[in-house]
Amino acid sequence: MKKILRRIVALSLALALVGCSNAVGAAKNSTASKGAETTGTDLPVLRVAMMPFVTSLPAQYIKANKLDEKNGFKMETTMYATGAPMNEALAADLWDVGAMGAAAVTGVANYDMTIIGEVLESQDGLGVFVKPESKIATVKGFNPSYPNVYGDPDTVKGAKILLPIGTAQHFTTLKWLEKIGVKAEDVNIVNMETAQAYQALKADQADAVALNIPTFFDAKNDGMVQVGNLADMGTKYVDMVTGNKKSLETKAEIIQKYINLLAEAGAALNADQDMATKLMMDYLKEAGAETSEESIRGDLGRVKFIEASDWKNRELGSFAKELGEFYIGLGQLDASLMDKFNTNIVKTFVEKLGTK
């Protein structure tokens, strides 16, 4: 177990350092230098970390409609490939707020990141895939509580599984293994970005891959077998709004405005899928991650953006705690770090939602 954990940590750090290097370059080339508080329009700056996924669409809605400037601040955005390099960039104080899924666990535990809101929830679009001829695809319903899940200990032990470490795909894979009675140390989990991982599966260089949107839809269209879908395992996945602890102290007023606008954006995106689809297409094209309209509509169809009214029945941080407990139970986080999922969940901004 210790050897596996060291491998996971080393791979995560390597990915994070690459992402951080790119982020540093982006920050240097930005129109507003690191630490700057004003732009050409002399508005206070909020540094927003973005990713080329639906997670960042509400933030893009704010930017595209200039709601930041209309509310007295200016968003300065930096793109990150996944949550892992985004976490490392936080350690270098390169952003104020962002949004991510499973990577928030390592962000809170290892980088003192805070969780200040939630941006969306979903039950689809995350899954583990194998090729149709895989022996894993020959066993279905091994666990009668999850009849649509494929695989069992005999077919899965020793499998080489490709995925980006510390992400939603990683969480999905661990959930899948748990449901079929396989321990993480009984398989070979290898860190690899999603698109490359899928190409490796097609080239018979892996036994299974964990995918998210849009590669998730590519695999389904290509006839790959989905052996473990998050929905089939009864888990509703939440992407969280994350914050730099330093920034919460110095930029509380504009962060409150940002949280308010995220809820406003969520309501608008939920209400108009055509608008959301066009915005997502333009956003991904700008980010160099263009995909088909069909995939985008499928992506939007699986999520619900969080609106202000949703907070009447929501408890901020409950999903983060579930993730934390899950990783601790697997021995991938030290149990002492669980305290962070109390101290670093900041409810102030959602409690004041709607205030200026």
Short mmCIF file of all heavy atoms in Angstrom, two decimals, residues 21-81:
data_model
loop_
_atom_site.label_atom_id
_atom_site.label_comp_id
_atom_site.label_asym_id
_atom_site.label_seq_id
_atom_site.Cartn_x
_atom_site.Cartn_y
_atom_site.Cartn_z
N SER A 21 3.83 25.16 -13.99
CA SER A 21 4.76 25.86 -14.87
C SER A 21 4.01 26.61 -15.95
O SER A 21 4.29 27.77 -16.24
CB SER A 21 5.72 24.85 -15.51
OG SER A 21 6.54 25.48 -16.46
N ASN A 22 2.99 25.94 -16.53
CA ASN A 22 2.17 26.61 -17.54
C ASN A 22 1.42 27.78 -16.94
O ASN A 22 1.26 28.82 -17.57
CB ASN A 22 1.17 25.63 -18.14
CG ASN A 22 1.86 24.55 -18.96
OD1 ASN A 22 2.98 24.76 -19.42
ND2 ASN A 22 1.20 23.42 -19.12
N ALA A 23 0.91 27.60 -15.72
CA ALA A 23 0.13 28.64 -15.07
C ALA A 23 0.99 29.86 -14.79
O ALA A 23 0.56 31.00 -14.93
CB ALA A 23 -0.46 28.12 -13.76
N VAL A 24 2.25 29.61 -14.37
CA VAL A 24 3.15 30.73 -14.08
C VAL A 24 3.38 31.54 -15.34
O VAL A 24 3.34 32.76 -15.35
CB VAL A 24 4.48 30.21 -13.50
CG1 VAL A 24 5.50 31.33 -13.43
CG2 VAL A 24 4.26 29.61 -12.13
N GLY A 25 3.60 30.82 -16.48
CA GLY A 25 3.80 31.52 -17.73
C GLY A 25 2.58 32.34 -18.11
O GLY A 25 2.70 33.47 -18.56
N ALA A 26 1.40 31.75 -17.91
CA ALA A 26 0.16 32.46 -18.23
C ALA A 26 0.00 33.70 -17.38
O ALA A 26 -0.43 34.74 -17.85
CB ALA A 26 -1.04 31.53 -18.04
N ALA A 27 0.37 33.57 -16.11
CA ALA A 27 0.24 34.70 -15.21
C ALA A 27 1.17 35.84 -15.62
O ALA A 27 0.82 37.01 -15.57
CB ALA A 27 0.53 34.27 -13.78
N LYS A 28 2.37 35.46 -16.06
CA LYS A 28 3.34 36.50 -16.46
C LYS A 28 2.88 37.22 -17.70
O LYS A 28 3.17 38.41 -17.89
CB LYS A 28 4.70 35.84 -16.70
CG LYS A 28 5.41 35.43 -15.42
CD LYS A 28 6.77 34.83 -15.73
CE LYS A 28 7.51 34.46 -14.45
NZ LYS A 28 8.83 33.84 -14.72
N ASN A 29 2.19 36.49 -18.58
CA ASN A 29 1.73 37.09 -19.83
C ASN A 29 0.39 37.78 -19.71
O ASN A 29 -0.11 38.35 -20.66
CB ASN A 29 1.64 36.01 -20.92
CG ASN A 29 3.02 35.49 -21.29
OD1 ASN A 29 3.99 36.23 -21.27
ND2 ASN A 29 3.10 34.20 -21.62
N SER A 30 -0.22 37.72 -18.53
CA SER A 30 -1.54 38.30 -18.34
C SER A 30 -1.49 39.81 -18.41
O SER A 30 -0.47 40.44 -18.16
CB SER A 30 -2.07 37.86 -16.98
OG SER A 30 -3.27 38.51 -16.70
N THR A 31 -2.62 40.42 -18.77
CA THR A 31 -2.68 41.88 -18.85
C THR A 31 -2.54 42.51 -17.48
O THR A 31 -2.17 43.66 -17.37
CB THR A 31 -4.01 42.31 -19.49
OG1 THR A 31 -5.09 41.73 -18.74
CG2 THR A 31 -4.09 41.84 -20.92
N ALA A 32 -2.90 41.77 -16.46
CA ALA A 32 -2.72 42.28 -15.09
C ALA A 32 -1.72 41.39 -14.40
O ALA A 32 -1.92 40.20 -14.30
CB ALA A 32 -4.05 42.26 -14.34
N SER A 33 -0.61 41.91 -13.92
CA SER A 33 0.43 41.09 -13.30
C SER A 33 -0.05 40.54 -11.98
O SER A 33 -0.99 41.03 -11.37
CB SER A 33 1.68 41.95 -13.09
OG SER A 33 1.41 42.99 -12.19
N LYS A 34 0.63 39.46 -11.52
CA LYS A 34 0.27 38.81 -10.26
C LYS A 34 0.29 39.84 -9.13
O LYS A 34 1.22 40.61 -8.98
CB LYS A 34 1.27 37.68 -9.96
CG LYS A 34 1.03 37.00 -8.64
CD LYS A 34 2.10 35.95 -8.43
CE LYS A 34 1.93 35.31 -7.05
NZ LYS A 34 2.17 36.23 -5.97
N GLY A 35 -0.76 39.84 -8.38
CA GLY A 35 -0.85 40.74 -7.24
C GLY A 35 -1.47 42.08 -7.58
O GLY A 35 -1.78 42.88 -6.70
N ALA A 36 -1.66 42.35 -8.89
CA ALA A 36 -2.26 43.63 -9.25
C ALA A 36 -3.71 43.66 -8.83
O ALA A 36 -4.41 42.67 -8.86
CB ALA A 36 -2.17 43.84 -10.77
N GLU A 37 -4.20 44.83 -8.45
CA GLU A 37 -5.56 44.96 -7.94
C GLU A 37 -6.47 45.74 -8.89
O GLU A 37 -7.64 45.86 -8.63
CB GLU A 37 -5.55 45.64 -6.57
CG GLU A 37 -4.92 44.80 -5.47
CD GLU A 37 -5.66 43.50 -5.26
OE1 GLU A 37 -6.89 43.50 -5.30
OE2 GLU A 37 -5.01 42.47 -5.07
N THR A 38 -5.94 46.26 -9.98
CA THR A 38 -6.77 47.03 -10.89
C THR A 38 -6.45 46.67 -12.33
O THR A 38 -5.40 46.13 -12.64
CB THR A 38 -6.54 48.55 -10.71
OG1 THR A 38 -5.16 48.85 -10.94
CG2 THR A 38 -6.93 48.99 -9.31
N THR A 39 -7.37 46.97 -13.22
CA THR A 39 -7.17 46.78 -14.65
C THR A 39 -7.18 48.15 -15.30
O THR A 39 -7.20 49.18 -14.63
CB THR A 39 -8.33 45.94 -15.23
OG1 THR A 39 -9.54 46.70 -15.12
CG2 THR A 39 -8.48 44.64 -14.50
N GLY A 40 -7.23 48.13 -16.65
CA GLY A 40 -7.26 49.40 -17.37
C GLY A 40 -8.50 50.20 -17.03
O GLY A 40 -8.50 51.42 -17.15
N THR A 41 -9.55 49.52 -16.61
CA THR A 41 -10.77 50.24 -16.23
C THR A 41 -10.78 50.56 -14.74
O THR A 41 -11.79 51.02 -14.21
CB THR A 41 -12.01 49.40 -16.59
OG1 THR A 41 -11.88 48.09 -16.01
CG2 THR A 41 -12.14 49.25 -18.09
N ASP A 42 -9.67 50.28 -14.08
CA ASP A 42 -9.50 50.63 -12.67
C ASP A 42 -10.52 49.94 -11.77
O ASP A 42 -11.02 50.53 -10.81
CB ASP A 42 -9.58 52.16 -12.49
CG ASP A 42 -8.86 52.60 -11.21
OD1 ASP A 42 -7.86 51.95 -10.84
OD2 ASP A 42 -9.30 53.59 -10.59
N LEU A 43 -10.82 48.68 -12.07
CA LEU A 43 -11.70 47.88 -11.23
C LEU A 43 -10.87 46.87 -10.45
O LEU A 43 -9.84 46.40 -10.93
CB LEU A 43 -12.72 47.13 -12.09
CG LEU A 43 -13.77 47.96 -12.83
CD1 LEU A 43 -14.59 47.07 -13.74
CD2 LEU A 43 -14.67 48.69 -11.84
N PRO A 44 -11.30 46.51 -9.25
CA PRO A 44 -10.58 45.48 -8.51
C PRO A 44 -10.64 44.15 -9.25
O PRO A 44 -11.64 43.82 -9.88
CB PRO A 44 -11.33 45.41 -7.17
CG PRO A 44 -12.67 45.98 -7.45
CD PRO A 44 -12.47 47.03 -8.50
N VAL A 45 -9.55 43.40 -9.18
CA VAL A 45 -9.41 42.16 -9.95
C VAL A 45 -9.69 40.94 -9.09
O VAL A 45 -9.26 40.84 -7.95
CB VAL A 45 -7.98 42.06 -10.54
CG1 VAL A 45 -7.69 40.66 -11.07
CG2 VAL A 45 -7.78 43.09 -11.63
N LEU A 46 -10.44 39.99 -9.68
CA LEU A 46 -10.65 38.68 -9.07
C LEU A 46 -10.02 37.66 -10.02
O LEU A 46 -10.44 37.53 -11.17
CB LEU A 46 -12.14 38.38 -8.88
CG LEU A 46 -12.45 37.09 -8.11
CD1 LEU A 46 -12.01 37.21 -6.66
CD2 LEU A 46 -13.94 36.76 -8.18
N ARG A 47 -9.00 36.96 -9.53
CA ARG A 47 -8.30 35.97 -10.35
C ARG A 47 -9.07 34.65 -10.31
O ARG A 47 -9.17 34.03 -9.26
CB ARG A 47 -6.87 35.78 -9.86
CG ARG A 47 -6.03 37.07 -9.90
CD ARG A 47 -4.70 36.87 -9.19
NE ARG A 47 -4.91 36.49 -7.79
CZ ARG A 47 -3.96 36.00 -6.99
NH1 ARG A 47 -2.75 35.78 -7.46
NH2 ARG A 47 -4.24 35.69 -5.74
N VAL A 48 -9.59 34.24 -11.46
CA VAL A 48 -10.47 33.07 -11.52
C VAL A 48 -9.79 31.94 -12.29
O VAL A 48 -9.39 32.11 -13.44
CB VAL A 48 -11.81 33.42 -12.20
CG1 VAL A 48 -12.72 32.21 -12.25
CG2 VAL A 48 -12.49 34.58 -11.46
N ALA A 49 -9.65 30.79 -11.64
CA ALA A 49 -9.08 29.60 -12.28
C ALA A 49 -10.18 28.90 -13.07
O ALA A 49 -11.27 28.66 -12.55
CB ALA A 49 -8.49 28.67 -11.22
N MET A 50 -9.88 28.55 -14.30
CA MET A 50 -10.87 27.93 -15.19
C MET A 50 -10.34 26.60 -15.71
O MET A 50 -9.13 26.37 -15.76
CB MET A 50 -11.15 28.85 -16.38
CG MET A 50 -11.54 30.27 -16.03
SD MET A 50 -13.28 30.46 -15.62
CE MET A 50 -13.99 30.55 -17.27
N MET A 51 -11.25 25.73 -16.13
CA MET A 51 -10.90 24.48 -16.81
C MET A 51 -11.81 24.33 -18.03
O MET A 51 -12.91 24.87 -18.05
CB MET A 51 -11.07 23.28 -15.87
CG MET A 51 -10.07 23.24 -14.72
SD MET A 51 -10.13 21.67 -13.79
CE MET A 51 -11.67 21.88 -12.88
N PRO A 52 -11.38 23.60 -19.06
CA PRO A 52 -12.19 23.46 -20.29
C PRO A 52 -13.29 22.42 -20.14
O PRO A 52 -13.40 21.48 -20.92
CB PRO A 52 -11.15 23.04 -21.33
CG PRO A 52 -10.14 22.26 -20.54
CD PRO A 52 -10.04 22.97 -19.20
N PHE A 53 -14.11 22.61 -19.11
CA PHE A 53 -15.21 21.68 -18.81
C PHE A 53 -16.45 22.48 -18.44
O PHE A 53 -16.39 23.68 -18.17
CB PHE A 53 -14.84 20.74 -17.66
CG PHE A 53 -13.55 20.01 -17.85
CD1 PHE A 53 -12.51 20.15 -16.94
CD2 PHE A 53 -13.35 19.18 -18.96
CE1 PHE A 53 -11.31 19.47 -17.12
CE2 PHE A 53 -12.16 18.50 -19.14
CZ PHE A 53 -11.13 18.66 -18.22
N VAL A 54 -17.58 21.78 -18.37
CA VAL A 54 -18.84 22.41 -18.01
C VAL A 54 -18.77 23.05 -16.62
O VAL A 54 -19.51 23.99 -16.32
CB VAL A 54 -19.99 21.39 -18.10
CG1 VAL A 54 -19.89 20.34 -17.01
CG2 VAL A 54 -21.34 22.06 -18.10
N THR A 55 -17.87 22.57 -15.78
CA THR A 55 -17.65 23.13 -14.45
C THR A 55 -17.46 24.64 -14.48
O THR A 55 -17.93 25.35 -13.59
CB THR A 55 -16.39 22.48 -13.81
OG1 THR A 55 -16.55 21.07 -13.80
CG2 THR A 55 -16.15 22.99 -12.41
N SER A 56 -16.77 25.12 -15.50
CA SER A 56 -16.44 26.55 -15.58
C SER A 56 -17.43 27.35 -16.40
O SER A 56 -17.24 28.56 -16.59
CB SER A 56 -15.02 26.72 -16.17
OG SER A 56 -14.04 26.20 -15.31
N LEU A 57 -18.50 26.72 -16.88
CA LEU A 57 -19.44 27.44 -17.74
C LEU A 57 -20.13 28.61 -17.03
O LEU A 57 -20.28 29.69 -17.63
CB LEU A 57 -20.47 26.49 -18.34
CG LEU A 57 -21.31 27.07 -19.48
CD1 LEU A 57 -20.44 27.50 -20.65
CD2 LEU A 57 -22.36 26.07 -19.95
N PRO A 58 -20.58 28.48 -15.77
CA PRO A 58 -21.17 29.65 -15.11
C PRO A 58 -20.20 30.83 -15.02
O PRO A 58 -20.60 31.98 -15.19
CB PRO A 58 -21.54 29.10 -13.72
CG PRO A 58 -21.79 27.66 -13.95
CD PRO A 58 -20.74 27.25 -14.94
N ALA A 59 -18.92 30.54 -14.76
CA ALA A 59 -17.93 31.62 -14.72
C ALA A 59 -17.78 32.26 -16.10
O ALA A 59 -17.65 33.48 -16.23
CB ALA A 59 -16.59 31.08 -14.23
N GLN A 60 -17.82 31.42 -17.15
CA GLN A 60 -17.73 31.95 -18.50
C GLN A 60 -18.95 32.79 -18.84
O GLN A 60 -18.84 33.79 -19.56
CB GLN A 60 -17.56 30.80 -19.50
CG GLN A 60 -17.43 31.24 -20.95
CD GLN A 60 -16.18 32.05 -21.23
OE1 GLN A 60 -15.27 32.09 -20.41
NE2 GLN A 60 -16.12 32.70 -22.38
N TYR A 61 -20.12 32.40 -18.34
CA TYR A 61 -21.34 33.19 -18.55
C TYR A 61 -21.17 34.58 -17.96
O TYR A 61 -21.54 35.60 -18.57
CB TYR A 61 -22.53 32.48 -17.91
CG TYR A 61 -23.84 33.23 -18.02
CD1 TYR A 61 -24.70 33.03 -19.10
CD2 TYR A 61 -24.24 34.14 -17.02
CE1 TYR A 61 -25.91 33.71 -19.20
CE2 TYR A 61 -25.44 34.82 -17.11
CZ TYR A 61 -26.27 34.61 -18.20
OH TYR A 61 -27.46 35.30 -18.30
N ILE A 62 -20.61 34.64 -16.77
CA ILE A 62 -20.36 35.94 -16.11
C ILE A 62 -19.44 36.79 -16.97
O ILE A 62 -19.69 37.97 -17.23
CB ILE A 62 -19.74 35.73 -14.72
CG1 ILE A 62 -20.73 35.03 -13.79
CG2 ILE A 62 -19.31 37.07 -14.11
CD1 ILE A 62 -20.12 34.58 -12.48
N LYS A 63 -18.36 36.16 -17.43
CA LYS A 63 -17.36 36.89 -18.22
C LYS A 63 -17.93 37.34 -19.56
O LYS A 63 -17.74 38.50 -19.97
CB LYS A 63 -16.14 35.99 -18.43
CG LYS A 63 -14.99 36.65 -19.17
CD LYS A 63 -13.82 35.68 -19.30
CE LYS A 63 -12.66 36.34 -20.05
NZ LYS A 63 -11.51 35.39 -20.20
N ALA A 64 -18.63 36.42 -20.26
CA ALA A 64 -19.16 36.73 -21.59
C ALA A 64 -20.17 37.85 -21.56
O ALA A 64 -20.28 38.65 -22.51
CB ALA A 64 -19.77 35.48 -22.21
N ASN A 65 -20.94 37.93 -20.47
CA ASN A 65 -21.96 38.97 -20.34
C ASN A 65 -21.47 40.19 -19.56
O ASN A 65 -22.27 41.08 -19.26
CB ASN A 65 -23.21 38.38 -19.68
CG ASN A 65 -23.94 37.41 -20.58
OD1 ASN A 65 -24.65 37.82 -21.50
ND2 ASN A 65 -23.76 36.11 -20.35
N LYS A 66 -20.20 40.19 -19.23
CA LYS A 66 -19.55 41.29 -18.50
C LYS A 66 -20.29 41.64 -17.21
O LYS A 66 -20.36 42.80 -16.81
CB LYS A 66 -19.43 42.53 -19.40
CG LYS A 66 -18.54 42.29 -20.62
CD LYS A 66 -18.31 43.56 -21.42
CE LYS A 66 -17.37 43.28 -22.59
NZ LYS A 66 -17.09 44.51 -23.38
N LEU A 67 -20.82 40.60 -16.57
CA LEU A 67 -21.51 40.83 -15.30
C LEU A 67 -20.54 41.21 -14.19
O LEU A 67 -20.94 41.85 -13.22
CB LEU A 67 -22.29 39.57 -14.90
CG LEU A 67 -23.39 39.12 -15.86
CD1 LEU A 67 -24.08 37.88 -15.33
CD2 LEU A 67 -24.40 40.24 -16.09
N ASP A 68 -19.29 40.81 -14.36
CA ASP A 68 -18.28 41.20 -13.38
C ASP A 68 -18.10 42.72 -13.39
O ASP A 68 -18.22 43.38 -12.35
CB ASP A 68 -16.95 40.48 -13.63
CG ASP A 68 -16.45 40.62 -15.07
OD1 ASP A 68 -17.26 40.97 -15.97
OD2 ASP A 68 -15.25 40.36 -15.30
N GLU A 69 -17.88 43.28 -14.58
CA GLU A 69 -17.68 44.72 -14.70
C GLU A 69 -18.93 45.50 -14.29
O GLU A 69 -18.83 46.56 -13.67
CB GLU A 69 -17.28 45.07 -16.13
CG GLU A 69 -15.94 44.47 -16.55
CD GLU A 69 -15.59 44.80 -17.99
OE1 GLU A 69 -15.90 45.93 -18.43
OE2 GLU A 69 -15.01 43.94 -18.67
N LYS A 70 -20.10 44.96 -14.62
CA LYS A 70 -21.35 45.63 -14.23
C LYS A 70 -21.55 45.64 -12.72
O LYS A 70 -22.32 46.45 -12.19
CB LYS A 70 -22.54 44.94 -14.90
CG LYS A 70 -22.55 45.10 -16.43
CD LYS A 70 -23.67 44.28 -17.06
CE LYS A 70 -23.63 44.39 -18.57
NZ LYS A 70 -24.65 43.53 -19.23
N ASN A 71 -20.85 44.72 -12.04
CA ASN A 71 -20.95 44.63 -10.58
C ASN A 71 -19.69 45.12 -9.86
O ASN A 71 -19.49 44.81 -8.69
CB ASN A 71 -21.27 43.20 -10.17
CG ASN A 71 -22.73 42.84 -10.40
OD1 ASN A 71 -23.57 43.03 -9.54
ND2 ASN A 71 -23.04 42.33 -11.60
N GLY A 72 -18.87 45.86 -10.58
CA GLY A 72 -17.78 46.57 -9.93
C GLY A 72 -16.48 45.83 -9.72
O GLY A 72 -15.67 46.23 -8.87
N PHE A 73 -16.22 44.75 -10.50
CA PHE A 73 -14.91 44.10 -10.43
C PHE A 73 -14.59 43.50 -11.79
O PHE A 73 -15.43 43.49 -12.69
CB PHE A 73 -14.88 43.02 -9.34
CG PHE A 73 -15.73 41.81 -9.60
CD1 PHE A 73 -15.19 40.64 -10.11
CD2 PHE A 73 -17.10 41.83 -9.30
CE1 PHE A 73 -15.98 39.53 -10.35
CE2 PHE A 73 -17.90 40.69 -9.52
CZ PHE A 73 -17.34 39.54 -10.05
N LYS A 74 -13.38 43.02 -11.94
CA LYS A 74 -12.93 42.48 -13.22
C LYS A 74 -12.35 41.09 -13.02
O LYS A 74 -11.46 40.88 -12.20
CB LYS A 74 -11.86 43.39 -13.84
CG LYS A 74 -11.26 42.89 -15.15
CD LYS A 74 -12.26 42.96 -16.28
CE LYS A 74 -11.59 42.57 -17.61
NZ LYS A 74 -12.56 42.58 -18.73
N MET A 75 -12.88 40.10 -13.76
CA MET A 75 -12.34 38.74 -13.72
C MET A 75 -11.08 38.65 -14.58
O MET A 75 -11.07 39.08 -15.73
CB MET A 75 -13.38 37.74 -14.23
CG MET A 75 -14.54 37.50 -13.30
SD MET A 75 -15.87 36.52 -14.08
CE MET A 75 -14.97 35.04 -14.58
N GLU A 76 -10.05 38.08 -14.01
CA GLU A 76 -8.82 37.77 -14.74
C GLU A 76 -8.70 36.25 -14.71
O GLU A 76 -8.52 35.65 -13.65
CB GLU A 76 -7.63 38.42 -14.05
CG GLU A 76 -6.27 38.08 -14.64
CD GLU A 76 -5.15 38.58 -13.76
OE1 GLU A 76 -4.96 39.81 -13.67
OE2 GLU A 76 -4.46 37.74 -13.14
N THR A 77 -8.85 35.59 -15.86
CA THR A 77 -8.95 34.13 -15.89
C THR A 77 -7.67 33.47 -16.38
O THR A 77 -6.96 34.01 -17.23
CB THR A 77 -10.12 33.68 -16.79
OG1 THR A 77 -9.90 34.14 -18.12
CG2 THR A 77 -11.44 34.23 -16.27
N THR A 78 -7.39 32.29 -15.83
CA THR A 78 -6.28 31.44 -16.26
C THR A 78 -6.80 30.03 -16.44
O THR A 78 -7.54 29.53 -15.59
CB THR A 78 -5.14 31.45 -15.22
OG1 THR A 78 -4.69 32.79 -15.02
CG2 THR A 78 -3.97 30.60 -15.70
N MET A 79 -6.44 29.38 -17.56
CA MET A 79 -6.93 28.05 -17.87
C MET A 79 -5.99 26.97 -17.35
O MET A 79 -4.78 27.07 -17.50
CB MET A 79 -7.09 27.90 -19.39
CG MET A 79 -7.78 26.63 -19.84
SD MET A 79 -9.55 26.60 -19.40
CE MET A 79 -10.17 27.93 -20.45
N TYR A 80 -6.57 25.94 -16.73
CA TYR A 80 -5.83 24.78 -16.26
C TYR A 80 -6.44 23.52 -16.87
O TYR A 80 -7.66 23.44 -17.05
CB TYR A 80 -5.87 24.68 -14.73
CG TYR A 80 -5.22 25.88 -14.06
CD1 TYR A 80 -5.98 27.00 -13.72
CD2 TYR A 80 -3.86 25.90 -13.80
CE1 TYR A 80 -5.39 28.11 -13.14
CE2 TYR A 80 -3.26 27.01 -13.21
CZ TYR A 80 -4.03 28.11 -12.88
OH TYR A 80 -3.44 29.21 -12.30
N ALA A 81 -5.61 22.53 -17.16
CA ALA A 81 -6.08 21.31 -17.82
C ALA A 81 -7.01 20.50 -16.92
O ALA A 81 -8.03 19.98 -17.37
CB ALA A 81 -4.90 20.46 -18.26
#
